[in-house]
Amino acid sequence: FGSSFGQVLETASHAMISRRLCRRTSTAVLTLLDSAETLPWGTRVAEHRLNPPLLSEFEKHLDELFGSTSDTNIVPRALVVHSEGRFWCNGMDLRYIDQQVNAGRADIADDLQRQAERVMGRILTLGVPTLASMPGHCCAAGAMLSLAFDFRVQAGGVKSLFFIPAVELGLRYSPGMLALLSAKLGPAGQRDLMLLGRRFNACTLETELGAGRNAEAVIAAASDEAVKMAAPD
């Protein structure tokens, strides 16, 4: 990516993603961390926007868990990506892109798009079940990232949003993202999410978009099943 990209990687002073492995279930859990830190170009780390520091850290974890640098004795059998704070992912880092374009480095901004799609491609082809565990908002390219996972669960009820505002911002979908959206959504979902920019929430993500589950409903169903199993005949 060149020297400018290399300099960007040094701007996050603390880790943006934590990792743990549940050995009982062989599940890797990556957590996008909440933080009061602001990156040099003005983006709050807590928004978990897709920028070079976050994506590079994400790729590093994938390499160490599933790639050639992983310990083959503890390769996870599933991946969960969770988040702290209000946002699971608030989309592409538009402040970073604007900074690069204004500095005459539009090619660096293009590199970010390619890196984001590379991460999505790795999630799609990981070879183990993947789950996006979304306790907060999931917007724009963040929503697209979540669609690369096999399963999505969103908490927060009507207060947690899931939408892609590209049509409002006058942005174009790349061929890769169009292919992802077409593969994961039915015709009505593609229309509502891509063309109308409709805002869904944790309650309507499953019932109206068919793209995920409402965490509260999942927990309630699991609890009901647990009660049935525990009840005497």
Side-chain angles (χ1 to χ4, degrees), residues 142-160:
M144 295 184 198
L145 174 62
S146 77
L147 289 172
F149 288 74
D150 297 318
F151 306 100
R152 284 149 299 282
V153 177
Q154 188 171 33
V158 297
K159 294 183 179 181
S160 290

Side-chain angles (χ1 to χ4, degrees), residues 2 81 89 99 102 120 126 145-146 149 155 185 215 223 230 233:
V81 176
C89 179
Q99 182 198 60
N102 292 336
M120 294 178 196
L126 199 56
L145 174 62
S146 77
F149 288 74
L185 300 173
S223 298
D233 293 333

Side-chain angles (χ1 to χ4, degrees), residues 11-134:
T11 57
S13 60
H14 301 93
M16 303 170 79
I17 303 173
S18 70
R19 182 176 86 203
R20 64 184 177 89
L21 179 67
C22 177
R23 295 184 180 275
R24 182 177 61 83
T25 60
S26 296
T27 299
V29 180
L30 300 182
T31 301
L32 307 175
L33 299 173
D34 197 10
S35 172
E37 185 179 358
T38 299
L39 295 167
W41 49 87
T43 298
R44 292 179 297 160
V45 171
E47 292 186 42
H48 308 136
R49 285 186 177 267
L50 303 183
N51 50 46
L54 180 68
L55 289 170
S56 295
E57 197 170 329
F58 204 132
E59 288 191 289
K60 180 175 181 290
H61 285 298
L62 292 180
D63 287 340
E64 293 175 353
L65 288 167
F66 302 99
S68 58
T69 60
S70 66
D71 183 339
T72 55
N73 293 322
I74 55 170
V75 174
R77 297 169 59 185
L79 172 68
V80 174
V81 176
H82 186 62
S83 68
E84 298 176 341
R86 293 176 54 207
F87 298 96
W88 188 78
C89 179
N90 204 20
M92 283 289 188
D93 193 333
L94 301 182
R95 287 179 181 267
Y96 168 78
I97 292 173
D98 286 344
Q99 182 198 60
Q100 300 305 315
V101 171
N102 292 336
R105 297 191 295 264
D107 57 325
I108 300 296
D110 291 338
D111 286 340
L112 175 60
Q113 175 74 29
R114 285 187 284 270
Q115 187 184 22
E117 293 193 18
R118 184 170 68 241
V119 169
M120 294 178 196
R122 293 189 66 175
I123 297 294
L124 280 165
T125 60
L126 199 56
V128 301
T130 56
L131 168 69
S133 171
M134 309 179 298

Side-chain angles (χ1 to χ4, degrees), residues 211-224:
R213 299 291 304 276
N214 177 3
E216 282 75 10
V218 172
I219 292 170
S223 298
D224 289 345

